[in-house]
Amino acid sequence: MRPHRLHRLTLLTRGVALLGLGAPAAACHKAATDGGNEPIHINAPFTPPPADAADPAAPSSSTAAAGAPDAGDAPAASAAASAPLLPRPPIRPNAPRGRGQGGGASQP
Amino acid sequence: MYTLKRTSGDDLALTREHEAIALPRRGAIRWGDFDASAYPAAALDRAADLWRTRAVQEMHSLALFTELASQLHVLGAPLDWSGAFARMIADEVRHTDLCLRVCDALGRPAAPSIDPRELRLLDRASPRAHVRHAVVAAFCVGETISGRMFRAALRAATVPLARDVVAAIVVDETFHAELGWELGALLMRRSDPSFDAERGALAAALPALFRHYAGLCCATGGPSWASRGPRAEPAPNFGELTYAGYAREFFEGMARDVVPGLAAIGFPEAARAFDELAADLDREGGEGGGSSTRTKS
């Protein structure tokens, strides 16, 4: 690596920490709702209704039809949001361990 | 396990979009000019084995970069990080696609098996430490060495189709390494009191990380072993280096790029870790021996 590039990296490292980097992960979801209202973004985190909430009325055919375009999305989003976190195996950069080769280490 | 397929098999809009993404960012690949019958079957078999392995490795890179991209929003990174990663992900899609298409062109279609359990990353103590560790490993080491290997493969390739494909990948890999070092530098800025502990933990992990990459790069025979024998296979060459050729690119890349770069961004321990690894591998390689001229696949 050429000296000027190393110097640039050194300077880049010594700069002021970027705003936001290091923010607690949990904070990222807190702004997704506004005062208890429903999230306004279609990909906002899913919040399940309280367990003791009254059963909503069965949808009429007209409301079901109105919701049809999104019918495939909602259950998938809920499932993804409520799925438990799975344990992860040891780090695996980008290639199967022990199968290295020239194509790369883009691959380790 | 699942079998990696290049396309869904129907005339779909998503396939057309994929094909557009998979086009080289620069230049063109002359698929139609390649005539597999002009080459010995053994050379085609060897090349297909190499490119199938590369397809799996590129797929792993795709999975890793996609997961890293998902962490950026948790970190509060500027939007340009997301833009750069969007290109990175597209590049890895392109590389995986190109590798599979080379196998098709060779008359040896590939259907490699992927173990999804191997596509995950270790969850570190904090998202920032997790991302920093992955960037140092996969970009500052992995992409930097990978770029050297592909440039060496480009110099070695004598088959026009292989030159076209490797050239397309080199364009992307050059950017990946540059991006990786910028990300590494930005992530090494002292951002809060936990930084020193996180930096120390990563510095302590460098010896194991370097040894891991030595294994991936066929370099466990040590630098003395790697310096013997030819770097590349004779013609017809489909972008293939010898075992020793891959290993030599690893040791030269570590000494010239990775170790100085890591020191520049705040890991002075990298030099000692690499020197000790090289000495250990030389000692272990001298005990084990091995051929330097087989083509790694």
Side-chain angles (χ1 to χ4, degrees):
Chain A
M1 199 177 287
R2 292 175 180 167
H4 76 272
R5 195 166 169 218
L6 292 173
H7 183 60
R8 179 173 174 270
L9 284 177
T10 302
L11 295 178
L12 194 58
T13 305
R14 289 177 182 167
V16 178
L18 294 174
L19 183 65
L21 283 179
C28 70
H29 288 174
K30 288 183 178 174
T33 57
D34 179 17
N37 294 333
E38 287 299 308
I40 57 173
H41 192 282
I42 193 167
N43 284 328
F46 172 74
T47 304
D52 57 351
D55 285 344
S60 67
S61 59
S62 60
T63 56
D70 295 327
D73 294 335
S78 333
S82 59
L85 293 176
L86 300 175
R88 295 179 171 193
I91 189 165
R92 217 141 180 108
N94 357 4
R97 188 178 293 274
R99 293 192 58 193
Q101 85 70 213
S106 85
Q107 357 45 356
Chain B
M1 300 284 281
Y2 67 88
T3 300
L4 177 60
K5 294 167 58 180
R6 199 174 75 80
T7 62
S8 304
D10 295 308
D11 181 21
L12 301 175
L14 67 90
T15 304
R16 290 191 293 275
E17 200 62 29
H18 166 81
E19 303 281 6
I21 287 287
L23 289 173
R25 295 177 66 87
R26 193 185 305 163
I29 296 174
R30 293 161 287 178
W31 298 102
D33 293 350
F34 180 71
D35 178 11
S37 67
Y39 300 95
L44 296 173
D45 289 341
R46 189 183 67 199
D49 192 36
L50 168 73
W51 285 97
R52 182 176 55 250
T53 301
R54 284 181 177 168
V56 173
Q57 293 170 335
E58 297 293 345
M59 186 68 181
H60 278 256
S61 293
L62 170 60
L64 172 63
F65 298 157
T66 304
E67 183 175 1
L68 271 174
S70 73
Q71 300 289 312
L72 304 181
H73 317 111
V74 178
L75 292 182
L79 185 61
D80 55 5
W81 288 43
S82 295
F85 268 85
R87 173 186 163 172
M88 290 279 307
I89 292 169
D91 289 348
E92 299 304 336
V93 168
R94 178 181 309 110
H95 299 173
T96 309
D97 187 271
L98 289 175
C99 293
L100 293 175
R101 284 194 70 180
V102 170
C103 294
D104 290 346
L106 295 170
R108 286 143 177 82
S113 296
I114 302 290
D115 186 346
R117 294 170 299 179
E118 295 185 339
L119 300 177
R120 308 294 289 271
L121 292 172
L122 178 66
D123 204 355
R124 294 276 163 176
S126 77
R128 183 190 55 209
H130 168 72
V131 170
R132 184 189 296 119
H133 185 112
V135 165
V136 166
F139 287 80
C140 298
V141 182
E143 292 297 299
T144 300
I145 299 295
S146 176
R148 288 188 68 93
M149 288 182 168
F150 274 112
R151 284 190 286 275
L154 181 59
R155 291 191 295 272
T158 61
V159 177
L161 175 66
R163 287 189 59 80
D164 288 350
V165 173
V166 175
I169 294 175
V170 164
V171 168
D172 299 334
E173 295 289 339
T174 302
F175 165 70
H176 296 182
E178 181 179 9
L179 167 67
W181 285 108
E182 289 182 351
L183 293 175
L186 293 170
L187 287 164
M188 284 298 289
R189 291 180 175 182
R190 187 182 303 274
S191 50
D192 65 29
S194 64
F195 173 84
D196 289 334
E198 293 175 1
R199 193 213 71 82
L202 184 47
L206 289 179
L209 185 66
F210 290 172
R211 181 173 281 272
H212 169 69
Y213 275 87
L216 291 171
C217 299
C218 317
T220 52
S224 298
W225 163 80
S227 66
R228 297 193 294 266
R231 280 182 187 258
E233 294 289 341
N237 187 299
F238 287 80
E240 304 148 293
L241 304 184
T242 61
Y243 275 6
Y246 289 121
R248 214 178 302 179
E249 294 302 328
F250 169 77
F251 288 113
E252 291 177 0
M254 289 294 293
R256 296 175 186 174
D257 297 331
V258 174
V259 169
L262 289 177
I265 66 172
F267 290 109
E269 300 91 339
R272 181 175 179 182
F274 178 61
D275 289 345
E276 291 182 351
L277 173 68
D280 288 348
L281 292 178
D282 257 350
R283 189 165 50 249
E284 296 163 14
E287 294 164 358
S291 167
S292 61
T293 56
R294 290 171 298 169
T295 299
K296 180 60 180 164
S297 60

